[in-house]
Amino acid sequence: MLFVIIFIATFCSGFLFTWWAAAIIAFVATIYAGRTAAQSFWSGFLAVAAVWGVHALLKSVPNDHILADRVAKMVHLPGWIWLLVITMLIGGIVGGMSALSGLLVKRAFTHV
């Protein structure tokens, strides 16, 4: 359930807000629906990584990956797919750490 909440909210906000909106969404969603540390981290990681991958592909596919390939060459990567993988890893870490932080804040205020 947490994965779905984070995925849908992050996907919709990705068209309107900046990249860090994903962190806020993962944080708030985990306060609402988070149960365990592992579930929170991996739900946030996988949901945000998937959304960032989808958004990157939505921007890259229409121009046949020309810009992504040039950026990949500029940072000494073999191809655009590696740039996509790194983008997804960074997004996943942002989402996972934000979700875990949300769970820890929830525990801090409920276990007094």
Side-chain angles (χ1 to χ4, degrees), residues 93-109:
I93 291 169
V94 167
M97 295 303 289
S98 298
L100 184 59
S101 298
L103 180 73
L104 295 176
V105 166
K106 177 182 177 179
R107 286 183 182 172
F109 286 107

Side-chain angles (χ1 to χ4, degrees), residues 2-3 5-7 9-11 13 18-31 34 36-53 86-104:
L2 181 60
F3 174 84
I5 292 170
I6 294 172
F7 184 87
T10 303
F11 184 80
S13 73
T18 58
W19 67 269
W20 49 267
I24 296 171
I25 290 167
F27 183 87
V28 172
T30 306
I31 288 176
T36 66
Q39 180 243 2
S40 298
F41 178 82
W42 289 111
S43 293
F45 184 94
L46 294 173
V48 176
V51 168
W52 280 26
I86 291 171
T87 300
M88 291 174 67
L89 277 175
I90 292 170
I93 291 169
V94 167
M97 295 303 289
S98 298
L100 184 59
S101 298
L103 180 73
L104 295 176

